């Protein structure tokens, strides 16, 4: 059930509130996803219902999806150890997506195969899919399909965690981000100017012109990467956490809507403790406010309108000390209100997603846990 509201004792501009305008009813979908790392909300079988694709790093090496509304488990493919990230997009316009998957992951670049695979369905979408390896890039870590030209023809982004010479904890090496056109799946470079660790990606129409841009969160801060005139252009929006390397920069990024315009949310530093809100305009986002500094191994950050008021809430999940999930709501007095959705040891959130999972038109929340090995749907219902 919905977590108890707590009074936040830390952070700038953060306060408590007696109630929230929703209740999130918990449904447990799976409890055996050892090393649960990512959940992708996507219609897998062309029935107009959003299903859940679950990625786990465990040695079981099965990529699975859960069919809405019964949440029946299906295996997409087996024999894919150390899976780390996936994204889905319908390349051939048949109503069923293709899946790009990164596996063979390790945080040490010299031990990470970084296998890139494209999975396609056959006549029976519930049967195992065909897997085609198309590249290897050590520490392949974040994958996203992006409509960079605004023509509906998406390319695949592959952001490795670190450069091949990077060694923990500093990871001092340059690291490139790659793009692949689906027609040939050949690697091209988005940027080779990153350094240290890249952790978070967000795909957004940053300029409001119908072209999606790529936001990156890394040791180098938050950057926007735009494709224009046949090439990628990289611009820093903020340097992120001002501490010394390797506690500098950002770990995850999300864009949110407020009545006063958009904001950036971030977890900082890498796998950090802070939830940060940035204000700015254009390509300058230098007004930084820490609204919470109590996360332990912060690992997922998303934004969406849970209460339907036109202002986005921020959802942050963490994995350390048993994990947890917090929701931050911007109140009428322009102060952020924190609710604890999940207490430690019930959801060590590695990733969360927002999607309409039933017919009530209220956006729902799903999260997947690492040490808790679980997948949960939090059904968004009106407050009682």
């Amino acid at each position: 059930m919905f977590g108890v509201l707590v009074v936040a004792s830390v952070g700038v501009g953060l306060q408590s509130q007696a109630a929230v305008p929703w209740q999130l009813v918990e449904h447990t979908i799976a409890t055996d996803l050892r090393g649960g790392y990512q959940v992708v909300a996507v219609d897998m079988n062309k029935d107009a219902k959003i299903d859940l694709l679950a990625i786990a790093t465990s040695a079981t090496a099965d990529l699975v999806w859960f069919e809405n509304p019964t949440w029946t488990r299906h295996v997409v493919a087996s024999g894919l150890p150390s899976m780390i990230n996936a994204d889905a997009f319908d390349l051939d316009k048949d109503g069923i997506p293709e899946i790009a998957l990164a596996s063979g992951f390790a945080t040490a670049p010299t031990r990470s195969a970084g296998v890139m695979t494209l999975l396609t369905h056959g006549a029976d979408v519930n049967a195992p899919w065909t897997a085609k390896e198309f590249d290897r890039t050590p520490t392949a870590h974040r994958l996203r399909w992006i409509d960079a030209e605004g023509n509906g023809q998406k390319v695949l982004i592959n952001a490795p965690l670190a450069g091949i010479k990077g060694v923990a904890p500093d990871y001092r090496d340059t690291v490139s981000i790659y793009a692949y056109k689906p027609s040939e799946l050949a690697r091209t470079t988005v940027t080779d100017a990153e350094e240290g660790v890249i952790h978070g990606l967000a795909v957004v129409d940053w300029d409001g012109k119908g072209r999606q841009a790529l936001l990156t969160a890394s040791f180098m801060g938050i950057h926007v990467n735009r494709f224009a005139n046949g090439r990628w252009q990289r611009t820093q929006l903020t340097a992120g956490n001002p501490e010394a390397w390797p506690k500098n920069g950002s770990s995850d990024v999300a864009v949110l809507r407020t009545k006063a315009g958009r904001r950036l949310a971030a977890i900082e530093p890498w796998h950090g403790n802070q939830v940060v809100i940035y204000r700015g305009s254009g390509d300058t986002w230098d007004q930084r406010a820490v609204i919470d500094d109590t996360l332990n191994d912060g690992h997922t950050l998303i934004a969406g309108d849970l209460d339907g008021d036109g202002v986005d809430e921020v959802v942050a999940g963490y994995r350390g000390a048993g994990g947890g999930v917090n929701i931050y709501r911007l109140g009428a007095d322009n102060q952020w209100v924190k609710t604890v959705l999940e207490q430690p040891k019930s959801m060590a959130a590695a990733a969360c997603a927002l999607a309409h999972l039933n017919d009530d038109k209220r956006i729902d929340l799903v999260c997947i846990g690492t040490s808790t090995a679980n997948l949960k749907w939090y059904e968004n219902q009106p407050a009682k």
Side-chain angles (χ1 to χ4, degrees):
M1 293 296 292
F2 187 61
V4 177
L5 181 69
V6 297
V7 176
S9 60
V10 296
V12 177
L14 184 66
Q15 64 180 23
S16 66
Q17 179 174 292
V20 290
W22 62 71
Q23 59 172 341
L24 297 180
V25 179
E26 176 186 308
H27 305 276
T28 298
I29 295 173
T31 59
D32 60 348
L33 298 173
R34 187 163 58 90
Y37 195 84
Q38 185 198 15
V39 57
V40 179
V42 58
D43 183 359
M44 291 285 290
N45 57 357
K46 201 180 177 180
D47 66 353
K49 293 182 175 64
I50 300 299
D51 308 300
L52 299 175
L53 179 70
I55 292 86
T57 60
S58 71
T60 58
D62 286 343
L63 178 63
V64 299
W65 67 280
F66 297 89
E67 183 177 355
N68 187 350
T70 61
W71 304 117
T72 302
R73 182 193 300 245
H74 304 283
V75 175
V76 178
S78 301
L80 298 164
S82 303
M83 292 177 290
I84 195 70
N85 218 236
D87 201 13
F89 178 64
D90 184 9
L91 295 173
D92 56 12
K93 310 300 181 185
D94 67 350
I96 298 174
E98 283 65 49
I99 299 168
L101 175 72
S103 61
F105 177 80
T107 55
T110 55
R111 294 190 291 105
S112 176
V115 180
M116 300 285 292
T117 303
L118 185 69
L119 295 139
T120 55
H121 70 89
D124 181 3
V125 71
N126 296 330
W129 293 25
T130 299
K132 175 185 176 182
E133 181 182 327
F134 63 90
D135 199 7
R136 292 197 174 203
T137 58
T139 73
H141 184 248
R142 291 288 183 265
L143 306 184
R144 296 294 183 270
W145 292 102
I146 178 173
D147 186 1
E149 297 188 60
N151 59 7
Q153 304 299 313
K154 293 191 178 185
V155 298
L156 178 66
I157 299 296
N158 168 20
L161 179 79
I164 190 64
K165 297 178 182 179
V167 178
D170 287 353
Y171 288 96
R172 283 282 190 181
D173 190 23
T174 57
V175 54
S176 299
I177 299 175
Y178 306 112
Y180 305 80
K181 288 185 177 180
S183 54
E184 60 262 18
L185 291 175
R187 186 197 312 173
T188 61
T189 300
V190 174
T191 179
D192 55 10
E194 289 282 359
E195 187 176 356
V197 165
I198 304 171
H199 190 264
L201 302 182
V203 176
V204 60
D205 182 357
W206 181 253
D207 297 313
K209 296 181 179 179
R211 291 187 173 202
Q212 291 181 326
L214 181 73
L215 299 187
T216 59
S218 70
F219 279 14
M220 305 297 287
I222 298 173
H223 290 78
V224 57
N225 297 268
R226 304 173 173 98
F227 188 80
N229 300 319
R231 64 186 185 92
W232 289 92
Q233 300 172 346
R234 177 177 181 266
T235 304
Q236 187 181 70
L237 302 178
T238 175
N241 190 44
E243 294 184 45
W245 193 291
K247 295 296 184 181
N248 54 308
S250 294
S251 188
D252 292 278
V253 60
V255 179
L256 61 144
R257 300 168 301 164
T258 75
K259 295 188 183 303
R262 69 181 171 187
R263 301 284 183 266
L264 290 177
I267 289 176
E268 294 177 349
W270 179 38
H271 290 177
N273 63 311
Q274 302 173 354
V275 179
V276 181
I277 301 296
Y278 285 96
R279 298 178 63 183
S281 61
D283 291 342
T284 302
W285 293 76
D286 53 4
Q287 299 177 55
R288 182 178 188 266
V290 178
I291 65 168
D292 195 2
D293 64 2
T294 65
L295 301 189
N296 189 328
D297 191 8
H299 202 266
T300 182
L301 185 76
I302 54 176
D305 188 0
L306 290 170
D307 54 10
D309 66 352
V311 176
D312 287 340
E313 283 69 50
V314 176
V315 180
Y318 59 96
R319 304 181 301 179
V325 180
N326 300 333
I327 300 176
Y328 307 85
R329 179 173 181 262
L330 189 59
D333 57 358
N334 211 35
Q335 298 293 300
W336 287 94
V337 180
K338 171 183 173 180
T339 14
V340 174
L341 172 63
E342 280 282 14
Q343 301 288 346
K345 299 183 180 180
S346 58
M347 172 52 70
C352 297
L354 292 165
H356 293 286
L357 297 183
N358 52 22
D359 297 325
D360 65 2
K361 297 184 180 180
R362 296 174 68 93
I363 197 164
D364 301 300
L365 176 66
V366 291
C367 294
I368 191 169
T370 46
S371 60
T372 50
N374 51 353
L375 177 65
K376 292 185 181 183
W377 164 34
Y378 304 94
E379 184 179 4
N380 187 358
Q381 297 182 356
K384 292 183 178 180

